Amino acid sequence: MATTALLVLDLVGTFAFALNGALIAVRSTRLDIVGVVTLGMITALGGGTIRDVFLGALPPATFVDWRYLVVAAAGGLIAFSIGHYLERIYGAINVLDAAGLSLFAVTGALKALDLGFGPLQAVVVGGITGVGGGTLRDVLIRQVPAVLSSGLYAVPAIVGATVVVLADVADTRGPVAAVGAAAVCFAIRMLGVHFDVNAPFPPGRPPAESS
Amino acid sequence: MATTALLVLDLVGTFAFALNGALIAVRSTRLDIVGVVTLGMITALGGGTIRDVFLGALPPATFVDWRYLVVAAAGGLIAFSIGHYLERIYGAINVLDAAGLSLFAVTGALKALDLGFGPLQAVVVGGITGVGGGTLRDVLIRQVPAVLSSGLYAVPAIVGATVVVLADVADTRGPVAAVGAAAVCFAIRMLGVHFDVNAPFPPGRPPAESS
Amino acid sequence: MATTALLVLDLVGTFAFALNGALIAVRSTRLDIVGVVTLGMITALGGGTIRDVFLGALPPATFVDWRYLVVAAAGGLIAFSIGHYLERIYGAINVLDAAGLSLFAVTGALKALDLGFGPLQAVVVGGITGVGGGTLRDVLIRQVPAVLSSGLYAVPAIVGATVVVLADVADTRGPVAAVGAAAVCFAIRMLGVHFDVNAPFPPGRPPAESS
C-alpha cells in the first residue's frame, strides 16, 4: 500500500482525535488553552505512541515526525477557538471519536503487518492503537475508559483491524481496503452509539437500569 | 534455569491475573463481556509489558508470543462465564491477585538476570512486574492502586524477587528456587491480607481508624 | 556540556520530585512507608522513564543507573521521616514541584539534543520530561493532573526547554545556560502559583468562580 495513503489516513485520524479530546476538555470548566490543547494532543498521539511501544518501533513516529505534532496541536487550537460552536453540532464529539478509532485501528494494523508481525498481532495492535488515545484521555479526566464501559468501543476497532488484515492475507491490500475497513469500523461504532448497543452481560448479573 | 519452567510460571501468573482482573470487572455493574475480558487482559499482560519497557526488550514478549494473548483472553472469558460462582468463593480475588503478584515478581527478576542486568535492577524490575498489572487495573477502574494503599503489596513482591536473586548469586538457581521464592511472596501477601498488616505509618500522623 | 553537570542537575531534580511526591503521599491518610516511598519514586523517576521511551533510549537511564534509584528512594524516605515538619514550611510542596519541573525540562531537552533529535523534538521532550512524573503522581492519587488543570504548569516547562534549545542553536550551550533556563522555568512556575495565573480560557465560556 502506498505509504502516502497510509500517512494521510493516520494524519486525518490524528486531527479527528485532537478535535475530540480538546472538545471534551472545553466542556470541562476551568481548563485553559494549555489544558485544552494538551488533552487534545494526548488523545491524538497516545494511541500511536502505545502502538510503537508494542511494535518496538521507538522512537515513536508520533514524536519523530513533526507532521503529527503540528496536526495534533492544530486540532487542539481549532477546538479551543471554535469549540463552543462545534460542540453544538449534535454528536460531533462522538463522530470525531469514531473517526479516530476507525482510522487508527486500520493504520495500526497495517503498520504491524509492514513490520512483519503476524495476523493475530496486527489485529491486537490495531485495536490498541484505536482505543489507546481515548483511554489515556479518559484516565486523565477521571472517567472510566470507554473501552471498558461502552458496549461497542473495542469491538469495532478489532473488526476494522481484522478486515484490513484479511484483505492483506487475500492479497487485495491497498487504499480501497483500508478505507473500506475504516468505514466498517466507523459504521459499527456509530450504530452502537445510536442504539446504545452493548455486548452480552455476565450471566446471573442483569445489566443495571439505565445509569 | 530451564526456559520452559520460566515460561510455565509466567503463563500461570498471566492466567491468575486475567481471572482476577475479570472477576473485579464482573463485580462492577454495567461492564459487558468486552469490558470484562479487556480488564482481565490488561491486568494479566500489563506487568510484563512494563517490565519489557524497563528491560529494553521490545517488542514485549506479552505481545509477540501468542500464548500470552490466548491465556489472558481465556482467563478473562472463563471469569466472565462462571465469575458469579467464582466470586462466591471466599477470597478468590485476593488469592488470584497474590498468585499473579508472586509469579510475576519471580519471573520478572529472572528475566532481568537473564538479560545481564545487576541484582538491584533485577529486584526492582521483579517488583514492577508484580505490581504493574494490578496498578493499571486499579487506575482504569478508578481506585487508589493497591501498591500505594495496601500495607503489604509491594513488600512481598520485592522479597520474592530478592530471594530468587540471592539464589542466583549463590549459584543455586533453578525451578525449585523460583517456586520457593514465589511461595514466600505468596505467603507474606496472604498473611498481610488476612491480618490487615501495614508497614509503619509516617511519624506524627497516626493511622486513620479502620477505613 | 559536561556530562557531569547534566547528571548533577538530573539527580537534583530527581531528589526534589521524590520529596514532593512523598510529601503529597504523607498528606494522604492511610499511606504507610511503602506507599509514601513508592509514590515518591514514581514521581521522581516517571518523567525520565517516559522521556527515554520517546527518545528510544531504552532501557531507561532512571532504571539502569543505580544513582537515580538510590536518590529517589532516599528522597522518599526523608520525606517519610520528617515530612510532618517539612510540610509545615509554607509552599514546600510547590517549590519542590517547581524545582523538579524546571530541572527535568532542561535536562530532558539536552538529552534529546545529545541524541541528535531536532529542536522541536527537544522542546517537546523537555516538556514531557518535566510534567511526566507529576502527571503519573496525580493519576495514581486520583487528581486531575496539574498539566491539565493548573494554568501555568506545561508553559514554564516548555519555555525552559526552549531557552536551553535556543542556547544550543546559538552555540552558547553549557552549565550556565542550563541553570539559567531552569531558573526561568522555576520563576514562571512560582509566579503562576503565587498569582494563580492561568492561560486564556475558551471563548464563550467564562472561567468558573474560584473552585
Side-chain angles (χ1 to χ4, degrees):
Chain A
M1 175 173 175
T3 309
T4 314
L6 193 55
L7 177 69
V8 169
L9 293 178
D10 219 20
L11 288 174
V12 174
T14 301
F15 189 69
F17 261 145
L19 282 175
N20 165 276
L23 280 180
I24 286 176
V26 166
R27 212 163 50 175
S28 311
T29 48
R30 299 287 297 162
L31 288 195
D32 60 21
I33 184 171
V34 179
V36 168
V37 173
T38 302
L39 194 63
M41 292 186 74
I42 292 172
T43 309
L45 304 177
T49 304
I50 298 173
R51 172 199 66 202
D52 289 351
V53 169
F54 275 94
L55 297 180
L58 298 180
T62 45
F63 168 70
V64 174
D65 187 333
W66 61 271
R67 288 171 292 200
Y68 289 97
L69 295 169
V70 168
V71 165
L77 285 170
I78 290 171
F80 176 82
S81 310
I82 61 166
H84 52 305
Y85 297 116
L86 278 179
E87 70 171 359
R88 283 184 211 147
I89 301 171
Y90 176 73
I93 285 181
N94 284 330
V95 169
L96 291 166
D97 191 55
L101 181 77
S102 308
L103 292 163
F104 279 179
V106 169
T107 59
L110 287 174
K111 179 160 187 177
L113 292 174
D114 280 344
L115 292 174
F117 288 87
L120 174 63
Q121 274 74 25
V123 169
V124 169
V125 95
I128 291 171
T129 311
V131 307
T135 301
L136 288 178
R137 176 198 66 208
D138 292 343
V139 166
L140 289 173
I141 59 172
R142 296 191 299 174
Q143 297 195 349
V144 174
V147 70
L148 293 183
S149 60
S150 170
L152 290 182
Y153 195 73
V155 168
I158 289 170
V159 170
T162 304
V163 169
V164 84
V165 168
L166 289 179
D168 183 77
V169 171
D171 226 357
T172 57
R173 188 173 170 183
V176 176
V179 172
V184 169
C185 172
F186 184 83
I188 298 176
R189 172 64 188 152
M190 290 312 295
L191 286 172
V193 169
H194 189 68
F195 294 108
D196 196 16
V197 180
N198 285 293
F201 282 86
R205 192 176 284 273
E209 302 297 303
S210 174
S211 63
Chain B
M1 174 173 177
T3 309
T4 313
L6 193 54
L7 177 68
V8 169
L9 293 178
D10 219 21
L11 288 175
V12 174
T14 301
F15 189 68
F17 260 146
L19 281 175
N20 165 276
L23 281 180
I24 286 176
V26 165
R27 210 164 50 175
S28 311
T29 48
R30 299 288 296 162
L31 288 195
D32 59 22
I33 184 171
V34 180
V36 168
V37 173
T38 302
L39 194 62
M41 292 186 75
I42 292 172
T43 309
L45 304 176
T49 304
I50 297 173
R51 173 198 65 202
D52 289 352
V53 169
F54 275 93
L55 297 180
L58 298 180
T62 46
F63 169 69
V64 173
D65 187 333
W66 61 270
R67 287 172 292 201
Y68 290 96
L69 295 170
V70 167
V71 166
L77 284 170
I78 290 170
F80 176 82
S81 308
I82 61 166
H84 53 305
Y85 298 115
L86 280 179
E87 70 171 358
R88 281 182 211 150
I89 301 171
Y90 176 73
I93 286 180
N94 284 330
V95 169
L96 291 166
D97 192 55
L101 182 76
S102 307
L103 292 163
F104 279 179
V106 169
T107 58
L110 286 174
K111 179 160 186 177
L113 293 174
D114 279 343
L115 293 175
F117 288 87
L120 174 62
Q121 274 74 24
V123 169
V124 169
V125 94
I128 291 171
T129 312
V131 307
T135 301
L136 289 179
R137 175 199 65 208
D138 292 344
V139 165
L140 290 172
I141 59 171
R142 296 190 299 174
Q143 297 195 348
V144 174
V147 70
L148 293 182
S149 60
S150 170
L152 290 182
Y153 194 73
V155 168
I158 290 170
V159 170
T162 303
V163 169
V164 85
V165 168
L166 290 178
D168 182 77
V169 170
D171 226 358
T172 57
R173 188 173 170 183
V176 175
V179 172
V184 169
C185 172
F186 183 84
I188 298 175
R189 173 62 189 153
M190 290 312 296
L191 286 172
V193 169
H194 189 69
F195 294 107
D196 196 16
V197 180
N198 286 293
F201 282 85
R205 192 175 285 275
E209 303 297 304
S210 173
S211 63
Chain C
M1 175 174 176
T3 309
T4 313
L6 192 55
L7 177 68
V8 169
L9 294 178
D10 219 21
L11 288 175
V12 174
T14 301
F15 188 69
F17 261 145
L19 282 174
N20 165 276
L23 281 180
I24 287 176
V26 166
R27 211 162 52 174
S28 311
T29 47
R30 299 287 296 161
L31 288 195
D32 60 22
I33 184 171
V34 180
V36 168
V37 174
T38 303
L39 195 63
M41 293 186 73
I42 292 172
T43 308
L45 304 176
T49 304
I50 297 173
R51 172 197 66 202
D52 289 351
V53 169
F54 275 94
L55 298 180
L58 298 180
T62 47
F63 168 70
V64 174
D65 188 333
W66 61 270
R67 288 171 293 201
Y68 290 97
L69 294 169
V70 167
V71 166
L77 285 170
I78 290 171
F80 176 82
S81 309
I82 60 166
H84 52 307
Y85 297 116
L86 280 179
E87 70 171 358
R88 281 183 212 149
I89 302 170
Y90 176 73
I93 285 181
N94 284 330
V95 169
L96 291 166
D97 192 54
L101 182 76
S102 308
L103 292 163
F104 279 179
V106 168
T107 58
L110 286 173
K111 179 160 187 178
L113 293 173
D114 280 343
L115 293 174
F117 288 87
L120 173 63
Q121 275 73 27
V123 169
V124 169
V125 95
I128 290 172
T129 312
V131 307
T135 301
L136 288 179
R137 175 198 66 208
D138 292 344
V139 165
L140 289 174
I141 59 172
R142 296 190 300 174
Q143 296 194 349
V144 174
V147 70
L148 292 183
S149 60
S150 170
L152 290 182
Y153 194 73
V155 168
I158 290 170
V159 170
T162 304
V163 169
V164 85
V165 168
L166 290 177
D168 183 77
V169 171
D171 226 356
T172 57
R173 187 173 171 183
V176 176
V179 172
V184 169
C185 172
F186 183 84
I188 298 176
R189 173 62 189 152
M190 290 312 295
L191 286 172
V193 169
H194 189 69
F195 295 107
D196 196 16
V197 180
N198 285 294
F201 281 86
R205 191 175 285 274
E209 302 298 304
S210 173
S211 63

